[in-house]
Amino acid sequence: MTAMTPGSNLPLSAPRVAVDVTAPSKLDVSALLLSSEGKVRSDDDFVFYNQPSAPGVTHSGGAADTISVDTAAVPAAIEKVVVTASLDAPGATFAGTEPTATVRDAQSNAVLATFTPPQLGPETALVVVEIYRRGGAWKVRAVGQGYANGLGGIAADFGVSVEEPTPPP
């Protein structure tokens, strides 16, 4: 097992991996499948509890939300699977919260890597890790990039259509 630091990357030694993101507070974990342009192809490439699968990527809930990636089943047009986390409580920030991503071999359950983003503050959502394709091989990168505008901000940055609620008259 390897403890990762921001920006570090490792080759994946398993074709199927599971990424859990845990914290003292309840988190919503999701994934975005990105093309070479760094955007989703459509809203169908956004995987979360209400849309639990896309080709090669699934979301499952339980004690912790888990994103599973079967690298052999990810379409060739997808270069990166971004795993995100946002706090479940409205208005909550990551200040004082240390979420940890654990990347496991989905078959053996062996831990391949862990990553805890350092020094979080007003962020309400995070890009935690990326599972990405480079030169025909799959790797994991520790990211830890925070967003103060929540999961909607992450989704919009990566091309997901975010419908804002209509304000009352």
Side-chain angles (χ1 to χ4, degrees):
M1 186 222 21
T2 301
M4 300 180 77
T5 58
S8 65
N9 61 57
L10 296 169
L12 288 178
S13 58
R16 290 180 37 239
V17 295
V19 181
D20 302 321
V21 184
T22 58
S25 304
K26 172 77 172 116
L27 298 175
D28 288 327
V29 178
S30 57
L32 297 141
L33 286 72
L34 307 180
S35 68
S36 61
E37 289 81 36
K39 303 283 185 187
V40 296
R41 299 170 299 175
S42 73
D43 289 356
D44 292 339
D45 286 342
F46 181 34
V47 177
F48 62 109
Y49 60 92
N50 278 341
Q51 185 168 287
S53 67
V57 180
T58 58
H59 172 280
S60 58
D65 284 359
T66 301
I67 298 295
S68 298
V69 180
D70 179 351
T71 59
V74 173
I78 298 301
E79 289 191 358
K80 187 182 302 183
V81 177
V82 175
V83 178
T84 70
S86 56
L87 291 157
D88 197 35
T93 70
F94 278 101
T97 300
E98 291 190 343
T100 297
T102 303
V103 181
R104 296 179 285 108
D105 177 323
Q107 185 170 354
S108 70
N109 220 21
V111 175
L112 304 175
T114 62
F115 173 60
T116 301
Q119 302 173 337
L120 298 173
E123 298 89 350
T124 56
L126 297 169
V127 171
V128 186
V129 297
E130 299 171 342
I131 306 295
Y132 67 101
R133 190 186 326 243
R134 179 71 40 89
W138 285 91
K139 297 182 174 193
V140 59
R141 176 181 295 123
V143 180
Q145 178 184 350
Y147 283 71
N149 55 347
L151 187 56
I154 291 175
D157 273 2
F158 291 117
V160 175
S161 299
V162 179
E163 292 183 22
E164 296 294 329
T166 306

